[in-house]
Amino acid sequence: MTLLERDPKSPLTWSGNLPVTSRYTFGLAGEKFFRAIKDEGKIIGSYCKKCDHTYVPASQFCEKCLAEVSDWVDVGTIGELHTFTVLYEGYDGARLVQPEIVAFISLGDGGLIHRLGEINLDEIYFGMPLEAVFLPEGQRQGSILDIRYFKPAG
Amino acid sequence: MNERVAIVGIGWSGYRSKSADLSYKELIYESAVKAYADAGVDPRKDIQSFVTVAEDFHEGTSIFDEYTPDQLGAALKPVHTITGDGLHGLATAYMLVKTGQFDIVAVEGHSKASNILTLPEVTAYAQDPILNRPLRFNTHFVAGLEMNRFLFETGTTQEQCAAVVQKNRRNALNNPKAPYGADLTLEDILSGPVLSWPLGKRDSAEHSDGAIVMVLASESTARHLNDKPIWILGMGWCNDSPSLESREWGELPYIQKAAQIAYRQAGFRNPQGIIDFAEIDDTYSYKELQSLEALGFCLPGEAGILTEDGATEVDGELPVNASGGSLGMGHMIDATGLARALEVVLQLRGEAGLYQLEDVNVGLAQSWRGIPTTSGAVAVLAN
């Protein structure tokens, strides 16, 4: 089956790697969204009147009708659990000592991916209200990590 | 051009969990010469254009498309590499012939997955860099979220997903190309390590190395090249909004749309009773069920029950992944859809050996580009 007949235990290889560092621009809507998190502890979306659709995170345009969207709305910091998973592997593929609960939390007509905290697995249900827990104001930098996790609301 | 287009040559190398002896160029070369001999064409004289499918980060080489011509016999010929799944490559080659400008076109896809030493990080680099990647989750979380919502919405069970793994890995025992054949009990599968609950490690396909080349030709050329042309009746592909924040979690609207495009070209609306067998995405066990529903073979929630009842076994009403699928043959990264299409061609030619299905005339191949994407493609092929 193989083209080369030689000892498969001693193949010659070369290893290489590349440092990859890039800058990612938030853009107009992204900047509004992350400034609201950082400065006000708020989650904002953008509303397309024509499609009656609230984008969370806020978007500068409507992906349904492609109109520019300029109505910004505060959607609150409590959303609903749409789906969740318990992740047993880390970013590099290594087994996690402590598995993490990851969820998609519905907010407006969109939502956010985040980890869940202050929660037991057996109390989770689809549709349960979840509240964003923010870092203290002085520690927030304008990133998704300004939200530490979502926890059961109320 | 109204002429039909046929697949007139196929060649492959592999598939193996590791291919330490061969370079990717040698894997491709081996597949190419087999495909050209199969089609009875001289690549240097007869093939007019070439398509390859590859991702720079999977290859570990920037501008990787520059590295594709030589091993295919494509130097000083029109060549282009597309990013996407192998079925997107097949669609591109199909369109090239359909333009009427090229009579014979070759398409190539390969996997040297065993050489990607940091695949989890490479895949994670496909996550949204601002909204998702800072959370540093292993990208399998996307499949875990999707599977859980799919089970919730449709009432499908983890046992029904495990039945997919059991079927496909058993099917692979009859396929000499498949490195992951195994006879497992449902208990073996369900009691395995968890990957991203409810998704188990054994619900997730391992990778394999290999390469696939196909030669396509216009109808008039195909007729005198090959006595077993396999006709492309329809091809569709579709991309949903990629963001995790605005996609559907329980169903696959992009597979549904891709199928509708392919079915419309092939001249039917409902695949039931027309498609004899299918080779579809099973990167994860639940994807086979979710895809069967999106493809219109059954209603949401029925695919798991049909699988438990044996309807998708090799002797069932609609054999699905008789080859073993990606669970049995190994996931071929960018070449996965081409691997599915190759199995459809082998069945339609009657060359599938131990896992040959009886009386098959129309087959379907479907692919998904993998986490975290929302891209898929569908091909309808006939003998």
Side-chain angles (χ1 to χ4, degrees), chain B residues 7 10 214 230 341-350 381:
Chain B
I7 296 167
I10 49 173
M214 292 190 187
I230 300 303
L342 175 73
E343 293 299 331
V344 174
V345 173
L346 287 170
Q347 290 287 353
L348 291 170
R349 283 181 168 194
L381 308 177

Side-chain angles (χ1 to χ4, degrees), chain B residues 2-270:
Chain B
N2 291 322
E3 266 193 284
R4 292 191 297 171
V5 177
I7 296 167
V8 294
I10 49 173
W12 66 89
S13 175
Y15 314 129
R16 296 186 273 161
S17 57
K18 284 191 166 52
S19 54
D21 49 344
L22 298 185
S23 71
Y24 75 87
K25 289 203 179 207
E26 291 159 346
L27 287 170
I28 296 169
Y29 171 76
E30 186 177 8
S31 311
V33 292
K34 283 184 187 169
Y36 303 154
D38 183 48
V41 295
D42 176 341
R44 305 300 295 147
K45 283 200 301 226
D46 304 329
I47 301 181
Q48 295 150 333
S49 194
F50 297 79
V51 179
T52 69
V53 182
E55 293 276 354
D56 288 1
F57 273 91
H58 288 157
E59 306 297 338
T61 302
S62 304
I63 320 182
F64 178 77
D65 48 298
E66 288 294 311
Y67 290 82
T68 59
D70 40 342
Q71 62 271 23
L72 283 170
L76 293 175
K77 299 273 185 113
V79 188
H80 65 277
T81 299
I82 62 159
T83 55
D85 171 77
L87 271 191
H88 292 99
L90 185 64
T92 306
Y94 173 59
M95 289 191 290
L96 282 173
V97 180
K98 275 283 188 190
T99 63
Q101 301 300 309
F102 310 96
D103 282 326
I104 306 179
V105 176
V107 54
E108 179 273 331
H110 66 278
S111 161
K112 192 71 175 166
S114 68
N115 270 2
I116 311 172
L117 304 184
T118 55
L119 186 58
E121 285 101 330
V122 167
T123 308
Y125 215 65
Q127 294 179 28
D128 183 287
I130 294 172
L131 286 167
N132 307 137
R133 211 193 296 154
L135 295 163
R136 293 189 70 79
F137 296 140
N138 183 293
T139 318
H140 286 299
F141 86 90
V142 177
L145 290 179
E146 187 176 66
M147 178 177 180
N148 206 12
R149 186 72 197 181
F150 170 65
L151 299 188
F152 173 72
E153 283 183 11
T154 59
T156 304
T157 64
Q158 280 175 286
E159 287 74 16
Q160 290 167 343
C161 296
V164 172
V165 181
Q166 186 181 44
K167 169 179 70 73
N168 291 1
R169 294 193 65 177
R170 268 186 195 158
N171 286 350
L173 289 169
N174 283 327
N175 182 351
K177 293 192 293 308
Y180 297 106
D183 193 2
L184 302 172
T185 64
L186 290 180
E187 185 51 33
D188 291 333
I189 296 156
L190 291 165
S191 64
V194 182
L195 184 52
S196 190
W197 185 91
L199 184 75
K201 257 228 178 306
R202 288 173 191 156
D203 287 301
S204 174
E206 300 284 341
H207 287 94
S208 61
D209 294 354
I212 297 154
V213 172
M214 292 190 187
V215 180
L216 279 64
S218 61
E219 183 161 14
S220 49
T221 306
R223 292 259 179 230
H224 64 80
L225 273 179
N226 193 310
D227 55 3
K228 281 184 282 194
I230 300 303
W231 304 102
I232 299 175
L233 300 188
M235 286 221 64
W237 66 96
C238 187
N239 304 57
D240 198 358
S241 173
S243 92
L244 300 179
E245 291 74 24
S246 65
R247 65 170 61 180
E248 289 286 339
W249 284 100
E251 48 193 45
L252 304 173
Y254 52 98
I255 298 297
Q256 207 176 355
K257 284 270 170 72
Q260 283 165 1
I261 295 167
Y263 297 167
R264 192 181 63 224
Q265 289 169 12
F268 59 88
R269 294 177 73 155
N270 182 348

Side-chain angles (χ1 to χ4, degrees), chain A residues 74-92:
Chain A
D74 179 347
V75 296
T77 58
I78 296 176
E80 267 186 17
L81 182 130
H82 186 72
T83 182
F84 71 101
T85 185
V86 189
L87 188 58
Y88 281 72
E89 285 191 2
Y91 198 74
D92 59 357

Side-chain angles (χ1 to χ4, degrees), chain B residues 319-339:
Chain B
V320 177
N321 290 324
S323 64
S326 290
L327 286 163
M329 300 179 71
H331 193 266
M332 303 268 292
I333 47 175
D334 314 309
T336 301
L338 216 48

